Amino acid sequence: MELSKELSDEIKSSYLDYAMSVIIGRALPDVRDGLKPVQRRILYSMYEMGLFSNKPFRKSARIVGDVLGKYHPHGDAAVYETLVRMAQDFNMRYPLIEGHGNFGSIDGDEAAAMRYTEARLTKIAEEMLKDIEKNTVDFTPNFDGSLKEPSVLPSRIPNLLINGSSGIAVGMTTNIPPHNISEICDAIIAYINNEEISVRELMKYVKAPDFPTGGVIVGVDGIIQAYETGKGKIVLRGKVEVEKNAIIIKEIPYQLKKSKIVEKIAELIADGKLEDVKTVRDESDREGIRIVVELKQNANVEVVINKLFFYTPLQTTFSIVCLALVNNRPRILNLKELIAEFVNHRREIIKRRTEYELKKAEERIHIVEGLKKALEDIDKVVEIIKLSKSPDFAKKRLIENFNFSEKQSEAILQMRLQKLTSIEMESVKKEYEELKKKIKELSEILSSPKKIDSIIVNDMIEIKEKYGDKRKTDVVIKADEINAEDLVTEEDNLILITKNNFAKRMDISSFKIQRRGGVGIIGISLKDDSPNILAKVNSLDRLLIFTKNGRAYSLNAYEIPKQDRTSRGINLKNLLNISDEIVAVLPYESDVIILTEDGHIKLVNVEEFKNAKKFGIVASPTRIACVKPLKGKEVIISTKRGRLVRFKAEEIPEYGRNAKGVKAITLNGDEIAWMDCYNGEKILSLTKKGYGKITDLKQYRLTSRGAKGVLNYRINEKTGEVVFTEVVKSDTLLIISEDGYALALNSNDIPKKGRNTSGVIVSKKGVKTATFI
């Protein structure tokens, strides 16, 4: 007979069979004992082998072979890996196996081969197997039907909650975190006392997950969500301390390799992202984890810690999915449901154990009743036995004369002569009374659910006393989210940008004051390039960047990497979609004045640039020469040939970004050198070949916007053209030359001169750009 079936139906049916096989037989734990089949088989096999906590260790290979041969028809690697994990105190909050030998490390080192290691059950694992011989659980045939294995363990401890579980099935995953056994026991007692208790009320006892590696849980919203719905996310951080000039990492997030954290920190130091860190060392030993992050002098500790959390796995997100098998069906459970399922399991175990013990007690009292009756008329019993031809005939006559049952008759015939002593006769009577009392107690337990619950409560109290410990994982009720600004030390920096748009951020302290007329020190490494922009900014400033072709971009100052003075910097094309030379960099704070190459000027509200991002927006329809913030009442504009115009800032009309503006200066073939808008009394001018002077502002008459201006600098071949003219803003001036040399000097060392002079030598290397710092 030929059977036919649609291929799609067959595929669907086969796939569902496979999926359910993986879900039930491999990946998901049973809600009652919190074990997957392979874990249960290992523990039961070790129980059968007698590998208890007070017995010698046995080779792991022997255990694995026993499990494979009897119960688990899969690869030995899977069994050994499971055995190893159950012995690792950094994976299991309460290990179920005690290992002897190399069982791996928190660095990710693998365990030694199974032929080298040994194992036995822990005391807490014995609690999971307790009473298994008393018909407390169902047994099912093993893979070949030759033996029987438990479908679940009696599990006197709430293993699923205290040790958690993780696994990936077909189309679903579980990730249940471990908890503190004392807290879980208290919550179970609270639930038994009031089954209407809410999840929030249970959380008075169960504060949060408690990981074996400690750490800190940040925030409680994810915990509440997970406990109420069965799914949620928590932020887990390592625990750090500050010792002298170092940050010490003493605890790391759960299931994280310590070596990975050390490697990542070292990588960040090499990349310059941890500029305040000297080095990182792993000083961990048997006493515990100790990762030393050594800091540089005057390092901002809080910023470094924030960077460690932000850039390394020292802060991770743990996704909670409380998925377990309930009656062989996958189900997501909240905290109350997980506790309820365990309590229901224990109720069933205690009921079955009591029934077993009652049955055994009834069987025994039946025998003892016969012994007691026989001892009361022992002479007659002895006479019957002596006159009997055979044991069967003796048994028959005892039944006929005393109305014994067959079991009682057999017990009497097997009774030793020592039972005839007065002491033994008293012990039989005593046993009879004790059995009567025990049967009464067991019967009362079976008839009273409250008594069953009181046994569970007493069990939980005992478990807590025997295995309870303090929490390892701390909980911070609320912590601010780490933003990019938290990773930056707030400080004044220098931004240096080249003509080819290479940029870097530098410490102002990198440049020491020197005498006027010197050469300076290297300020930037150049390759067929030249310095272009030098600006003093705060590391937390949002910067506006303007290019010659009339576009504006926005960038955070801290996004430009902080480097030493000899480095070249990074190409801003990595951060911005920029295609022309940069002419200005200024903080996003004040309205800006834009001056074009043809001498037109306009005032633009800074809000017009709020959407200036990576791809830029239009700032001017014509090419830009200078951009300055509106920070004074007057504007000065200087030209390369030595003229200067001074007019009131209020004469500049406010326009939009797309407007050209109005005439600011009549150039007559000259070119714009510099512009400034700042209140002050002195003007500093510098020329290309390194000459400079300071002139009183009063020497420049106030003109109207659009004028040719007055003489500012008498230039010649020796001085070169004017490149910088600004109101004096501080005592310190930093000059960058065409070939990248930097000279910091006291501006008071530059002499005051009149407008019709050529100044004095300020920098032997010449001047490309400058700024007051």
Side-chain angles (χ1 to χ4, degrees):
M1 181 178 177
E2 190 174 317
L3 295 175
S4 61
K5 191 176 183 181
E6 284 288 335
L7 181 61
S8 59
D9 292 339
E10 178 61 29
I11 291 173
K12 183 178 179 181
S13 174
S14 299
Y15 185 76
L16 286 174
D17 289 343
Y18 163 74
M20 289 307 295
S21 172
V22 171
I23 290 167
I24 296 170
R26 196 179 304 175
L28 300 185
D30 192 295
V31 73
R32 297 168 292 178
D33 61 6
L35 298 173
K36 300 176 186 179
V38 63
Q39 295 172 321
R40 189 178 300 115
R41 288 163 177 166
I42 291 170
L43 294 180
Y44 182 64
S45 186
M46 292 177 74
Y47 167 81
E48 284 189 313
M49 294 170 73
L51 300 182
F52 302 116
S53 58
N54 58 350
K55 297 293 173 65
F57 290 94
R58 194 75 60 85
K59 283 285 185 184
S60 299
R62 168 74 185 277
I63 298 167
V64 171
D66 205 65
V67 174
L68 289 176
K70 291 181 177 179
Y71 307 116
H72 198 69
H74 299 286
D76 59 341
V79 176
Y80 184 53
E81 284 171 10
T82 304
L83 184 149
V84 165
R85 190 180 187 281
M86 289 196 289
Q88 292 173 332
D89 58 4
F90 50 87
N91 267 321
M92 302 287 281
R93 183 64 178 83
Y94 302 93
L96 301 177
I97 291 174
E98 184 182 355
H100 184 68
N102 175 15
F103 272 77
S105 74
I106 199 167
D107 276 325
D109 301 319
E110 293 185 0
M114 64 179 116
R115 62 183 178 273
Y116 299 121
T117 61
E118 298 177 333
R120 65 184 177 189
L121 295 170
T122 59
K123 286 185 178 180
I124 203 166
E126 291 172 12
E127 301 287 356
M128 295 193 68
L129 293 148
K130 192 172 183 179
D131 300 325
I132 195 169
E133 75 284 355
K134 294 182 179 180
N135 194 35
T136 49
V137 295
D138 293 332
F139 279 71
T140 57
N142 69 339
F143 59 89
D144 62 0
S146 62
L147 296 168
K148 288 195 172 183
E149 61 178 305
S151 59
V152 67
L153 297 187
S155 191
R156 197 163 171 242
I157 61 167
N159 181 59
L160 185 61
L161 280 164
I162 66 170
N163 272 324
S165 184
S166 62
I168 300 172
V170 179
M172 58 185 69
T173 182
T174 184
N175 203 27
I176 303 170
H179 291 81
N180 183 273
I181 196 168
S182 298
E183 293 180 3
I184 295 298
C185 288
D186 288 340
I188 290 169
I189 293 169
Y191 170 79
I192 290 172
N193 292 334
N194 174 23
E195 292 195 10
E196 299 302 316
I197 193 170
S198 67
V199 172
R200 290 293 181 101
E201 289 171 323
L202 284 170
M203 286 184 67
K204 292 177 182 177
Y205 306 97
V206 184
K207 308 297 182 187
D210 190 25
F211 298 101
T213 53
V216 180
I217 295 172
V218 180
V220 296
D221 292 344
I223 301 170
I224 294 169
Q225 184 184 14
Y227 285 167
E228 289 186 336
T229 67
K231 296 179 77 174
K233 291 182 178 180
I234 59 174
V235 176
L236 185 61
R237 289 178 179 174
K239 195 175 288 183
V240 299
E241 295 178 4
V242 179
E243 293 181 9
K244 295 181 180 179
N245 204 39
I247 295 168
I248 311 299
I249 301 169
K250 292 195 169 182
E251 294 176 7
I252 64 174
Y254 183 51
Q255 291 185 329
L256 190 69
K257 294 177 182 177
K258 174 168 59 69
S259 58
K260 294 294 182 185
I261 293 180
V262 178
E263 288 171 12
K264 185 62 179 178
I265 294 172
E267 181 183 316
L268 291 170
I269 295 170
D271 291 345
K273 289 186 178 179
L274 289 175
E275 62 268 10
D276 285 341
V277 177
K278 274 186 183 179
T279 185
V280 60
R281 298 189 304 276
D282 186 359
E283 297 182 355
S284 305
D285 54 22
R286 292 186 179 183
E287 298 298 316
I289 291 172
R290 182 180 170 86
I291 301 170
V292 180
V293 181
E294 193 174 336
L295 304 176
K296 295 178 182 177
Q297 289 294 326
N298 303 318
N300 189 320
V301 177
E302 289 300 319
V303 170
V304 175
I305 290 173
N306 285 335
K307 283 185 176 181
L308 290 175
F309 288 144
F310 192 84
Y311 289 123
T312 75
L314 198 59
Q315 174 174 303
T316 60
T317 300
F318 187 91
S319 296
I320 298 173
V321 183
C322 296
L323 180 69
L325 294 175
V326 181
N327 297 324
N328 275 342
R329 290 184 177 275
R331 182 178 154 201
I332 291 177
L333 305 105
N334 62 27
L335 177 62
K336 182 179 176 180
E337 290 168 335
L338 286 167
I339 290 172
E341 290 294 338
F342 174 74
V343 170
N344 290 337
H345 174 57
R346 285 304 298 167
R347 284 171 177 162
E348 179 66 19
I349 295 299
I350 291 167
K351 182 184 175 185
R352 290 181 64 161
R353 182 185 71 189
T354 306
E355 288 172 346
Y356 175 86
E357 289 177 347
L358 178 60
K359 182 183 176 183
K360 291 293 182 183
E362 287 173 341
E363 289 175 355
R364 179 60 185 167
I365 201 171
H366 178 65
I367 301 297
V368 172
E369 281 176 343
L371 293 174
K372 182 171 172 287
K373 191 174 180 182
L375 290 170
E376 288 172 353
D377 196 359
I378 191 62
D379 293 336
K380 188 176 180 181
V381 169
V382 171
E383 185 183 351
I384 290 171
I385 294 172
K386 283 173 66 179
L387 297 173
S388 298
K389 296 177 181 179
S390 65
D392 288 341
F393 186 70
K395 182 167 64 172
K396 185 178 178 182
R397 289 195 62 194
L398 286 172
I399 292 171
E400 289 172 353
N401 282 271
F402 293 94
N403 201 26
F404 290 143
S405 68
E406 283 199 16
K407 286 186 177 180
Q408 286 175 325
S409 297
E410 287 176 2
I412 292 165
L413 289 171
Q414 292 172 8
M415 183 174 63
R416 291 183 179 184
L417 290 175
Q418 69 181 26
K419 287 287 184 184
L420 302 179
T421 64
S422 58
I423 294 174
E424 287 294 331
M425 290 175 70
E426 283 299 318
S427 70
V428 170
K429 291 177 183 178
K430 185 179 177 182
E431 184 183 2
Y432 177 75
E433 293 301 323
E434 288 175 351
L435 285 168
K436 278 178 66 178
K437 185 180 177 181
K438 184 177 181 181
I439 288 168
K440 183 183 177 184
E441 289 175 355
L442 294 171
S443 299
E444 287 174 352
I445 289 170
L446 288 173
S447 63
S448 173
K450 284 187 177 179
K451 289 199 172 183
I452 291 176
D453 284 350
S454 69
I455 293 172
I456 300 173
V457 169
N458 290 333
D459 282 349
M460 291 302 103
I461 293 171
E462 183 187 337
I463 292 293
K464 181 181 175 181
E465 289 175 352
K466 287 171 71 174
Y467 307 106
D469 56 5
K470 293 181 180 179
R471 283 190 64 86
K472 291 187 175 183
T473 304
D474 295 333
V475 181
V476 177
I477 301 301
K478 191 172 183 181
D480 295 330
E481 186 178 346
I482 298 176
N483 298 311
E485 288 80 3
D486 299 324
L487 310 178
V488 181
T489 302
E490 185 175 2
E491 59 185 355
D492 288 334
N493 292 143
L494 288 167
I495 296 287
L496 181 56
I497 303 175
T498 70
K499 190 170 184 178
N500 292 336
N501 292 336
F502 280 83
K504 65 176 178 176
R505 188 162 50 94
M506 299 180 289
D507 278 325
I508 293 177
S509 60
S510 301
F511 303 96
K512 306 299 181 185
I513 300 294
Q514 296 181 289
R515 289 186 178 184
R516 172 177 62 83
V519 174
I521 57 176
I522 295 173
I524 188 170
S525 176
L526 297 170
K527 293 179 181 178
D528 300 323
D529 203 353
S530 64
N532 196 33
I533 302 294
L534 184 64
K536 179 185 175 184
V537 300
N538 187 281
S539 54
L540 295 181
D541 280 342
R542 179 186 170 196
L543 304 178
L544 285 177
I545 297 174
F546 295 86
T547 57
K548 270 191 177 181
N549 61 355
R551 294 191 69 79
Y553 303 81
S554 177
L555 187 69
N556 293 309
Y558 56 76
E559 292 182 70
I560 299 173
K562 191 176 178 184
Q563 298 181 349
D564 60 41
R565 58 182 179 79
T566 59
S567 60
R568 189 184 185 192
I570 65 159
N571 198 321
L572 284 180
K573 289 181 180 179
N574 297 326
L575 303 174
L576 303 170
N577 189 23
I578 202 164
S579 60
D580 203 3
E581 184 182 329
I582 293 171
V583 293
V585 174
L586 55 147
Y588 181 93
E589 54 185 15
S590 308
D591 293 345
V592 297
I593 301 169
I594 298 177
L595 178 66
T596 62
E597 289 183 349
D598 60 3
H600 284 74
I601 197 167
K602 65 180 177 180
L603 178 67
V604 183
N605 190 309
V606 71
E607 288 296 310
E608 293 256 356
F609 300 103
K610 65 182 179 183
N611 293 322
K613 300 284 173 62
K614 177 179 179 179
F615 291 94
I617 57 175
V618 172
S620 170
T622 54
R623 290 180 71 78
I624 295 175
C626 296
V627 183
K628 287 288 182 179
L630 179 65
K631 287 193 172 182
K633 294 182 179 180
E634 295 177 359
V635 174
I636 60 169
I637 302 171
S638 65
T639 69
K640 291 182 178 180
R641 294 180 186 175
R643 300 195 68 80
L644 183 144
V645 63
R646 171 190 172 202
F647 56 87
K648 290 187 177 296
E650 62 187 29
E651 292 185 31
I652 307 173
E654 185 175 326
Y655 286 111
R657 293 183 291 106
N658 288 299
K660 183 178 181 180
V662 295
K663 194 162 187 178
I665 184 172
T666 300
L667 290 171
N668 289 338
D670 205 347
E671 295 179 58
I672 303 291
W674 206 265
M675 175 179 68
D676 197 17
C677 178
Y678 199 85
N679 295 326
E681 298 177 352
K682 296 181 289 185
I683 291 178
L684 169 66
S685 298
L686 297 170
T687 67
K688 186 175 181 179
K689 293 188 177 180
Y691 281 77
K693 66 178 180 178
I694 289 177
T695 308
D696 284 333
L697 182 66
K698 294 176 182 178
Q699 293 195 29
Y700 302 92
R701 73 175 188 271
L702 203 62
T703 65
S704 298
R705 175 179 50 77
K708 290 191 299 182
V710 298
L711 182 66
N712 169 43
Y713 211 105
R714 186 165 296 280
I715 63 169
N716 52 45
E717 189 176 340
K718 180 179 68 174
T719 63
E721 60 192 19
V722 174
V723 294
F724 178 88
T725 308
E726 266 194 16
V727 176
V728 176
K729 300 176 176 67
S730 76
D731 291 340
T732 307
L733 177 71
L734 182 65
I735 297 170
I736 295 289
S737 67
E738 183 83 25
D739 55 1
Y741 275 77
L743 176 65
L745 68 153
N746 192 319
S747 59
N748 294 321
D749 289 345
I750 302 173
K752 282 188 180 181
K753 300 283 184 178
R755 292 189 294 109
N756 192 21
T757 60
S758 299
V760 297
I761 187 71
V762 175
S763 170
K764 281 186 179 179
K765 282 284 186 176
V767 179
K768 175 62 178 179
T769 186
T771 189
F772 287 98
I773 58 175

